[in-house]
Amino acid sequence: ARAEQLGLKRCEPYTDLDVLLKQENVDLVSVCTPNNYHVEQGIAVAQASKHLVMEKPIALDIEGARALEKAVVQAGIKNVVCFVLHWYPRFLNQMALVKSGAIGQVFLADCAYLHGHLERYTSQWRWIWKKSMGGSTLMQGGIHAVDVMRQFMTAPATEVTAYGHMHTAEYEGDPTAMYEYPPTVTGIVKFADGAVARLVSSFETTMPYQLNLRLYGTKGSIQDAHVWSEVLSPKQNGWAEFPAIGADSGDPSHIPFGPMIDHIVDCILNDRPAFPDISDALKSHEIAFAADISAEEGRPVRLPL
C-alpha cells in the first residue's frame, strides 16, 4: 500500500526476511524495525553478505551489541548506524571547529536529548514503552546524545553514574499508556584523560523536541550554535553565532537520511569505510548500557562492561 501511495513501480514487498536476503539484486538492507529485532535481523543481513544500514539502537544489551559487531566484522560488509546527527550542518560546523583547535582540548561536555511526552503520540509508538522492545529512554532516543557527545571526547569512557526519574502517569486514563522504565535518565560520564560529561535523556519534558550540545575546552566553548574562541577571535567580547540547521529544528524534512544513504552508497562504490559504523556505535551503546545499569542498581558502573 505504501509503495502504491508513493508511486514506486520497482518496489517488491516481502513478508519474509530470509526470502528478501536471497534476492541477488538486493545490495543494501536498512533495518528499521522495533529495537528488539535489530540484533537478529542485523546478523542475518551480515551473514547474507548484504551491506547494512542499522537504525539505532544497535542492540538492547551489551551481549547483543557484541554479537552484531562480530557478525558484521566477519562478513566484511559496509555498515552505518543511523546516528543522523553526523550529517546535520550544525554538527559538521561544531566538528570542524573542534578539529581546528578553535576551543582547545574538550574537558567538559553537556548533551541533552529532550523529547516531550512520547506517550501522547499515536498507538504505533506504544511498543517503545515496553522494556523488552524499547529498552530504555537512552536506547530509544537518548543514544543520539551519547553518540554525539562521545565524538568530541579524545579518551575512552571509564565510569558512569546515572539516576532515573518517572513522573509520567497513565495518559488520558489509559492504563496501558505507561512506561516500563524511567523515561528520564541523567548521568555523569568520566573519561580516561580526566574529562567529564553530563548526559540527559527524557521523554517527559513539556516543550518542543530539542537536542542540546555544549562543549567546554581549554581555549574556548561551544553552546549549540554559539562559539567563544580565544584562538579564532582573541578580542572577542560576546558569543559569535554560526547559524546552521541542527537536530532541534523539529522539521522532519531536515533529518538528513538522504546524506547518510549517499555516504554509505559512496563507501560501497569506492570501497571506503563508512562512519559511524557498528564498531564505533558499540562504544556509545556501552556508555548507555552502563547508565541504565547505574540508574537501576544505584551505583557507579565501571567501563568496559
Side-chain angles (χ1 to χ4, degrees), residues 111-128:
C111 198
Y113 177 95
L114 305 169
H115 205 309
H117 293 281
L118 283 185
E119 77 276 6
R120 299 178 184 178
Y121 281 56
T122 56
S123 60
Q124 64 180 326
W125 283 90
R126 294 197 172 193
W127 62 266
I128 74 165

Side-chain angles (χ1 to χ4, degrees), residues 75-95:
I77 60 171
K78 307 296 183 186
N79 64 98
V80 70
V81 177
C82 294
F83 285 140
V84 290
L85 270 74
H86 286 246
W87 289 274
Y88 271 102
R90 184 185 295 170
F91 173 87
L92 294 172
N93 284 349
Q94 293 163 336
M95 183 58 71

Side-chain angles (χ1 to χ4, degrees), residues 13-232:
Y14 296 91
T15 59
D16 187 318
L17 179 61
D18 291 335
V19 175
L20 168 65
L21 294 177
K22 291 176 182 177
Q23 305 308 306
E24 293 185 359
N25 64 339
V26 172
D27 301 302
L28 175 64
V29 176
S30 174
V31 174
C32 46
T33 49
N35 302 343
N36 56 311
Y37 295 102
H38 289 182
V39 171
E40 176 185 354
Q41 294 176 344
I43 290 175
V45 171
Q47 291 176 342
S49 298
K50 309 294 186 181
H51 302 295
L52 173 66
V53 175
M54 175 58 76
E55 185 54 80
K56 53 78 192 163
I58 64 171
L60 294 181
D61 54 47
I62 190 65
E63 293 81 11
R66 287 172 176 158
L68 176 60
E69 181 194 33
K70 181 179 179 180
V72 165
V73 170
Q74 287 181 341
I77 60 171
K78 307 296 183 186
N79 64 98
V80 70
V81 177
C82 294
F83 285 140
V84 290
L85 270 74
H86 286 246
W87 289 274
Y88 271 102
R90 184 185 295 170
F91 173 87
L92 294 172
N93 284 349
Q94 293 163 336
M95 183 58 71
L97 285 165
V98 171
K99 286 187 175 180
S100 73
I103 67 169
Q105 180 83 11
V106 176
F107 62 88
L108 172 64
D110 187 344
C111 198
Y113 177 95
L114 305 169
H115 205 309
H117 293 281
L118 283 185
E119 77 276 6
R120 299 178 184 178
Y121 281 56
T122 56
S123 60
Q124 64 180 326
W125 283 90
R126 294 197 172 193
W127 62 266
I128 74 165
W129 307 341
K130 300 180 182 299
K131 192 172 183 179
S132 62
M133 297 185 74
S136 69
T137 179
L138 283 166
M139 290 299 101
Q140 181 56 33
I143 190 66
H144 281 300
V146 182
D147 166 74
V148 75
M149 171 275 299
R150 219 200 85 245
Q151 301 304 323
F152 295 95
M153 314 307 286
T154 57
T158 58
E159 185 176 285
V160 182
T161 300
Y163 300 91
H165 175 266
M166 180 186 294
H167 75 253
T168 303
E170 62 185 44
Y171 178 59
E172 292 186 347
D174 182 355
T176 66
M178 293 286 291
Y179 290 98
E180 295 180 356
Y181 52 80
T184 296
V185 168
T186 183
I188 301 296
V189 185
K190 293 172 62 177
F191 295 85
D193 61 355
V196 292
R198 182 181 74 108
L199 290 170
V200 177
S201 179
S202 180
F203 294 153
E204 298 182 298
T205 53
T206 305
M207 58 180 284
Y209 165 71
Q210 191 163 334
L211 194 146
N212 298 324
L213 174 63
R214 295 168 183 178
L215 305 168
Y216 303 95
T218 54
K219 297 181 180 180
S221 300
I222 295 174
Q223 292 192 350
D224 298 319
H226 295 86
V227 177
W228 187 287
S229 172
E230 293 180 352
V231 176
L232 298 179

